């Protein structure tokens, strides 16, 4: 095993005889799916190459697809599963009816590599039924590395400093159990003004991190029981200056690839986007890089294959890892898209990804309104829309701002805000 640097896509595929089968829905990971959550399976449309296959669990936006293809981006190999029960993952749909995907694989003439957002039980099954090599790990390893309390335990075993914490199991819901929780929180409040409580495993569409001064703890306790949370991590709430993320890939050959680092933007503990720039960052990347490499090496030695995304916080007390996203994350798709754009129009020195919203409209209506700053396939400055599956209903989508430096990105963000995007 060695630490190497190669392209994001190149680290997933072994050779040009392989193609990716993109399965990007976000319903696979979580302990309990929530019906109103968008699957985001269309995130892969923009980052797919010509011979790749994209699998959707909702109708294809033909206007967006036509725009991508006009820029020589995306693929014509799109499989759509339209009629299915709510809450079914894309991998479940493939296992229950693999024929459309198998037909598309035959059409490409290439060996498929299955690329899910998260490698759970259905993802392992889906790769098998279509004869694909899974770019992912076993379901048990994936859960092990995503579970937040186990992650902090691993850090301690490897000698990596983490924020002090106490694990609390919700148990039976008795008053005595609540009193135990109140005692734990009170202990941290004696030295800190607020406390952070995080669920050990994520849950679709519901913020699983909460900040409290203790006054609302009884109400939060009732909410956590309603959400079915089994285990909480209680820790002091620290002031965060930056939230860097170190990102690596463990390849199918067990090589460890450094795919670079991004700085995450948080709002009330919600992830709002990421920034990647060639300029020297304000904070020290060295501890982030050394810790993520140590963790990636441990994961590779255990048999893990796939993505490693370690979130950190930079505080007055130091830089600490807080969780491991042992799966693709939002910026993974951005990196894949930017790689495709760079192949068309040259290096992108700086980018910023954002969740965005505008008035509900069709894709064509939207790009006509924002055409002045839209990426056109030639210039490296502009915005690039993706994950547009809810644009027509709610106006929600995501975008990538691209420019030579952070100042240009800020100017571009101001321009697009003036055009009704926020």
């Amino acid at each position: 095993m060695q630490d190497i640097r190669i392209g994001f896509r190149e680290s997933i595929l072994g050779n040009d005889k392989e193609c990716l089968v993109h399965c990007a829905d976000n319903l696979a990971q979580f302990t309990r799916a929530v019906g109103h959550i968008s699957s985001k399976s269309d995130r892969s449309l923009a980052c797919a190459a010509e011979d790749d296959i994209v699998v959707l669990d909702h109708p294809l936006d033909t206007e967006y697809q036509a725009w991508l293809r006009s820029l020589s981006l995306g693929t014509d190999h799109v499989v759509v599963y339209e009629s299915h029960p709510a809450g079914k993952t894309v991998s479940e749909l493939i296992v229950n009816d693999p024929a459309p995907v198998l037909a598309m694989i035959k059409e490409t003439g290439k060996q498929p590599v299955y690329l899910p957002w998260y490698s759970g039980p259905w993802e392992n099954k889906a790769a098998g039924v279509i004869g694909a090599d899974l770019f992912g790990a076993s379901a048990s390893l994936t859960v092990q590395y995503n579970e937040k309390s186990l992650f902090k335990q691993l850090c301690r075993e490897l000698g990596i400093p983490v924020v002090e914490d106490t694990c609390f199991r919700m148990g039976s819901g008795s008053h005595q159990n609540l009193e135990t929780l109140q005692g734990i929180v009170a202990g941290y409040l004696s030295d800190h003004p607020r406390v952070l409580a995080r669920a050990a495993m994520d849950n679709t569409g519901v913020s699983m991190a909460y900040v409290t001064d203790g006054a609302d703890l009884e109400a939060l306790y009732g909410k956590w029981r309603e959400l079915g949370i089994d285990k909480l991590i209680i820790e002091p709430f620290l002031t965060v200056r930056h939230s860097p993320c170190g990102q690596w890939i463990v390849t199918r050959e067990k090589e460890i690839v450094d795919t670079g680092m991004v700085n995450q933007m948080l709002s009330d503990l919600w992830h709002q986007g990421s920034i990647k720039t060639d300029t020297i960052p304000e904070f020290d990347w060295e501890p982030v890089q050394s810790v993520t490499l140590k963790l990636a090496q441990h994961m590779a030695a255990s048999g893990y294959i796939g993505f490693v995304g370690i979130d950190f916080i930079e505080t007055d007390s130091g830089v600490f890892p807080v969780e491991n996203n042992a799966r693709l994350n939002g910026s993974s798709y951005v990196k894949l898209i930017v790689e495709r754009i760079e192949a068309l129009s040259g290096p992108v020195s700086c980018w910023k990804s954002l969740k965005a919203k505008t008035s509900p409209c069709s894709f064509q209506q939207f790009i006509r309104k924002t055409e002045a700053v839209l990426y056109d396939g030639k210039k490296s400055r502009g915005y690039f829309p993706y994950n547009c599956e809810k644009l027509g209903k709610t106006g929600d989508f995501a975008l990538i701002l691209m420019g030579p430096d952070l100042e240009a990105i800020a100017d571009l963000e101001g321009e697009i805000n003036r055009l009704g995007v926020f």
Side-chain angles (χ1 to χ4, degrees):
M1 295 182 294
Q2 56 178 323
D3 165 23
I4 57 176
R5 282 182 179 269
I6 57 178
F8 207 79
R9 180 183 175 86
E10 187 182 353
S11 64
I12 303 170
L13 290 178
N15 54 64
D16 59 8
K17 295 180 180 180
E18 295 181 330
C19 70
L20 290 177
V21 179
H22 295 268
C23 176
D25 70 307
N26 69 357
L27 298 178
Q29 173 183 354
F30 303 96
T31 53
R32 188 170 64 90
V34 176
H36 67 279
I37 300 304
S38 58
S39 81
K40 299 186 179 181
S41 62
D42 70 336
R43 284 178 294 190
S44 294
L45 287 170
C47 57
E50 190 80 29
D51 291 328
D52 287 351
I53 298 165
V54 174
V55 185
L56 302 179
D57 58 359
H58 57 78
L60 173 67
D61 185 334
T62 55
E63 292 182 352
Y64 182 69
Q65 172 75 345
W67 177 73
L68 287 176
R69 301 303 287 137
S70 73
L71 298 173
S72 299
L73 292 170
T75 177
D76 292 327
H77 302 122
V78 180
V79 175
V80 177
Y81 289 92
E82 292 192 42
S83 300
H84 54 81
K88 290 287 186 182
T89 68
V90 172
S91 293
E92 286 181 84
L93 300 175
I94 293 173
V95 170
N96 293 332
D97 181 17
V101 179
L102 288 170
M104 201 67 78
I105 291 171
K106 185 176 181 180
E107 188 176 307
T108 68
K110 296 203 170 188
Q111 176 60 33
V113 176
Y114 198 63
L115 182 64
W117 182 67
Y118 176 92
S119 185
W122 285 104
E123 284 63 42
N124 279 257
K125 292 177 184 177
V129 299
I130 62 171
D133 199 357
L134 174 67
F135 193 79
S138 67
S140 59
L141 273 180
T142 306
V143 168
Q144 176 183 328
Y145 288 121
N146 274 276
E147 211 270 15
K148 295 177 178 60
S149 62
L150 294 178
F151 170 70
K152 296 188 77 170
Q153 179 181 319
L154 173 61
C155 286
R156 292 185 178 101
E157 291 172 0
L158 296 177
I160 299 169
V162 292
V163 178
E164 61 175 314
D165 70 273
T166 301
C167 282
F168 173 77
R169 289 204 174 266
M170 293 294 291
S172 63
S174 66
H175 185 73
Q176 184 178 5
N177 211 35
L178 172 59
E179 288 179 347
T180 301
L181 175 61
Q182 289 171 328
I184 294 170
V185 170
Y188 287 115
L189 289 175
S190 63
D191 296 315
H192 303 274
R194 292 185 293 172
V195 168
L196 175 65
R198 297 187 291 147
M201 287 294 287
D202 289 323
N203 193 325
T204 307
V206 180
S207 175
M208 303 305 280
Y210 304 82
V211 178
T212 179
D213 61 2
D216 59 348
L217 191 57
E218 187 169 354
L220 285 174
Y221 181 75
K223 182 177 182 178
W224 294 331
R225 291 203 57 77
E226 290 177 8
L227 290 172
I229 293 174
D230 174 58
K231 187 195 299 184
L232 287 168
I233 303 170
I234 312 297
E235 54 195 17
F237 181 72
L238 304 178
T239 299
V240 176
R241 292 197 295 265
H242 297 100
S243 181
C245 178
Q247 300 178 344
W248 299 69
I249 288 176
V250 180
T251 72
R252 288 175 287 161
E253 292 74 32
K254 298 300 179 68
E255 293 176 318
I256 300 173
V257 179
D258 178 4
T259 70
M261 289 169 271
V262 298
N263 189 29
Q264 301 177 106
M265 296 171 292
L266 304 178
S267 176
D268 295 328
L269 302 178
W270 281 89
H271 180 263
Q272 297 296 314
S274 302
I275 300 176
K276 177 71 169 67
T277 176
D278 288 344
T279 58
I280 298 173
E282 297 177 10
F283 50 86
D284 184 9
W285 281 117
E286 194 284 325
V288 173
Q289 188 166 30
S290 61
V291 167
T292 49
L293 175 58
K294 182 181 288 189
L295 288 164
Q297 289 172 332
H298 174 89
M299 293 169 71
S302 73
Y304 181 86
I305 294 171
F307 294 85
V308 182
I310 311 297
D311 290 344
F312 291 76
I313 54 172
E314 184 190 44
T315 73
D316 292 337
S317 304
V319 178
F320 303 103
V322 293
E323 65 183 54
N324 182 0
N325 294 308
R327 54 164 173 78
L328 278 80
N329 56 44
S331 61
S332 304
Y333 294 100
V334 176
K335 287 182 176 182
L336 283 165
I337 292 170
V338 170
E339 272 193 5
R340 300 283 294 142
I341 290 172
E342 288 181 321
L344 292 173
S345 50
V348 176
S349 299
C350 184
W351 57 256
K352 179 179 182 180
S353 65
L354 287 171
K355 296 175 183 178
K357 191 176 182 68
T358 189
S359 301
C361 60
S362 71
F363 183 74
Q364 277 297 325
Q365 289 171 328
F366 177 68
I367 62 173
R368 280 197 295 268
K369 181 170 69 172
T370 58
E371 190 172 9
V373 288
L374 179 68
Y375 172 73
D376 63 0
K378 300 175 184 177
K379 60 189 178 188
S380 57
R381 181 186 184 277
Y383 89 92
F384 188 97
Y386 71 104
N387 192 197
C388 301
E389 67 179 67
K390 289 201 167 185
L391 183 62
K393 292 183 178 179
T394 66
D396 292 292
F397 69 107
L399 57 81
I400 307 168
L401 303 172
M402 299 176 291
D405 50 41
L406 288 172
E407 184 178 355
I409 294 294
D411 290 342
L412 183 60
E413 188 170 356
E415 288 181 55
I416 198 167
N417 284 340
R418 287 188 288 273
L419 292 171
V421 178
F422 49 91

